[in-house]
Amino acid sequence: MKSAMAYTDWQQLGYKALNGERLSMPEALAVLEADDDEVLSILHAAFKVRKHYYGKKVKLNMIINAKSGLCPEDCGYCSQSIVSTAPIKRYALLDKETLLAGAREAMARKAGTYCIVAAGKGPTNKELDQVIEAVKEIRESMPLKLCACLGILNESQAERLSAAGVHRYNHNLNTSKANYPSITTTHTYDQRIETVERAKRQNMSPCSGVIIGMGETNEEIVEMAYALRELDADSIPINFLNAIAGTPLEHAGRTPALKALKVLALFRFLCPAKEIRAAGGREVSLRSLQPLSLFAVNSLFVGDYLTTEGQDAAADHAIIEDLGFEIEECAL
């Protein structure tokens, strides 16, 4: 049933968020189940929260797919998994010079954060050494924040990355705990939580997000937001499933644009002070409504993703400029 919540009540949810109060399950569901005619009102309330914490600044992030395919995991959404037949490039971890070139490209795209992503359950010692060598040189030569996304870490690996100068570690929860076994069976939801906690203990900023559109219920979307609030993730990428041919979820379809905007607003209400990013699949789900996402989120990925193309960085720069927002400069 569609929500009949009045416009003034959307503003009330914004006030609750600003006061640090957690929305109840009925309040959170009201956002997701609201009539589509309410989307602009919901975004207006979310924007007040976003503006309070981030003004009109937009953080830009860029990913490099540092190791493609060759992954033993069975994640149903991923073209790089062992169960995928998608025709992607497969290669071992990129050399230092290629990773450095990626960092220079991130700066050219006005990104403040550069994320080195490697497919796999977790890094080998050799791979960790290679990443650390590149991280140290980037830190010495470029004013970028560095994020690593290398899979499940043990305590020693997390300690080494932190000591090398990695600012942030990404390990997404992806879906709800209840839905997790239907998406992945080669590792557990709890293992992901544990890796994020290890990153936090080693003083790396925790980055963890979700993928919307993998068969979860609206209640489970709320539970994901609750989980990330409890985990105290500093950065929350909200991905929308880009259903890739050759993956188990290839027929899952797309999240409609107005639903996607409600999801982004919900995460702003439930994690009000956090960096919330419109991430992978935004081009597919939001399509022509991408500019509206910035009224709820304060962060974007620019350029391509892991095995799928993103929007041209110049188009994102134009959206930010046309809305009267501004790109946030990197402050180390």
Side-chain angles (χ1 to χ4, degrees):
M1 180 180 294
K2 295 290 186 182
S3 166
M5 187 174 283
Y7 170 76
T8 52
D9 291 328
W10 301 127
Q11 298 304 307
Q12 188 60 39
L13 294 189
Y15 296 140
K16 287 190 70 170
L18 287 171
N19 288 331
E21 300 176 49
R22 193 183 85 160
L23 271 62
S24 67
M25 178 62 79
E27 288 171 328
L29 285 175
V31 175
L32 296 178
E33 296 172 358
D35 191 280
D36 289 344
D37 291 349
E38 295 291 308
V39 165
L40 290 180
S41 299
I42 292 168
L43 286 176
H44 180 63
F47 177 65
K48 287 192 172 183
V49 181
R50 180 241 200 270
K51 189 176 181 182
H52 175 82
Y53 288 104
Y54 295 102
K56 300 181 81 173
K57 294 185 180 295
V58 181
K59 297 181 180 183
L60 299 182
N61 304 255
M62 194 194 93
I63 293 173
I64 187 167
N65 192 10
K67 176 187 173 186
S68 184
L70 310 175
C71 182
E73 302 290 275
D74 67 353
C75 305
Y77 52 84
C78 184
S79 60
Q80 303 185 78
S81 80
I82 196 169
V83 295
S84 168
T85 60
I88 63 165
K89 293 180 180 179
R90 291 175 170 81
Y91 50 82
L93 193 71
L94 298 173
D95 60 32
K96 183 179 72 173
E97 291 308 315
T98 306
L99 295 177
L100 290 172
R104 290 189 287 271
E105 179 60 27
M107 293 188 63
R109 294 178 185 178
K110 303 182 180 180
T113 300
Y114 176 53
C115 192
I116 299 171
V117 183
K121 188 163 190 172
T124 65
N125 289 334
K126 181 181 178 181
E127 289 168 343
L128 201 68
D129 290 342
Q130 288 177 254
V131 170
I132 285 172
E133 185 180 3
V135 164
K136 288 180 176 178
E137 190 155 338
I138 294 167
R139 285 294 307 266
E140 290 173 357
S141 59
M142 292 174 237
L144 286 169
K145 285 189 175 179
L146 293 175
C147 175
C149 178
L150 310 176
I152 294 170
L153 297 179
N154 61 38
E155 203 74 39
S156 174
Q157 290 171 327
E159 183 178 12
R160 290 188 63 202
L161 286 170
S162 179
V166 172
H167 299 93
R168 172 185 292 171
Y169 196 79
N170 168 258
H171 203 52
N172 291 334
L173 298 187
N174 288 331
T175 193
S176 70
K177 187 168 186 176
N179 195 41
Y180 208 84
S182 70
I183 303 301
T184 307
T185 66
T186 47
H187 62 269
T188 67
Y189 178 92
D190 288 341
Q191 283 178 294
R192 287 187 170 263
I193 294 283
E194 290 162 6
T195 290
V196 176
E197 293 290 0
R198 287 189 188 105
K200 289 166 64 176
R201 284 196 296 272
Q202 296 301 330
N203 298 314
M204 289 186 286
S205 175
C207 174
S208 189
V210 299
I211 305 172
I212 301 299
M214 299 198 298
E216 72 282 346
T217 65
N218 282 340
E219 288 83 358
E220 286 174 319
I221 294 175
V222 177
E223 288 166 4
M224 293 179 220
Y226 283 164
L228 290 167
R229 179 186 174 105
E230 181 67 23
L231 194 58
D232 200 25
D234 291 332
S235 178
I236 303 174
I238 310 297
N239 300 278
F240 298 97
L241 181 68
N242 185 348
I244 298 172
T247 64
L249 293 177
E250 65 178 319
H251 300 300
R254 60 178 281 273
T255 301
L258 296 177
K259 173 66 176 290
L261 290 171
K262 294 172 196 174
V263 169
L264 296 174
L266 173 70
F267 275 81
R268 175 57 65 199
F269 290 139
L270 282 171
C271 304
K274 302 302 186 179
E275 177 184 347
I276 297 178
R277 187 176 317 121
R282 66 177 166 97
E283 298 87 351
V284 174
S285 284
L286 289 167
R287 296 197 300 211
S288 63
L289 298 190
Q290 285 187 74
L292 291 179
S293 68
L294 288 176
F295 289 97
V297 309
N298 65 298
S299 180
L300 298 173
F301 277 124
V302 287
D304 295 338
Y305 300 100
L306 297 176
T307 64
T308 58
E309 293 184 355
Q311 182 164 275
D312 186 80
D316 286 326
H317 296 165
I319 287 172
I320 293 166
E321 179 183 352
D322 291 346
L323 285 173
F325 285 56
E326 61 179 303
I327 296 170
E328 182 172 323
E329 295 184 6
C330 182
L332 295 177

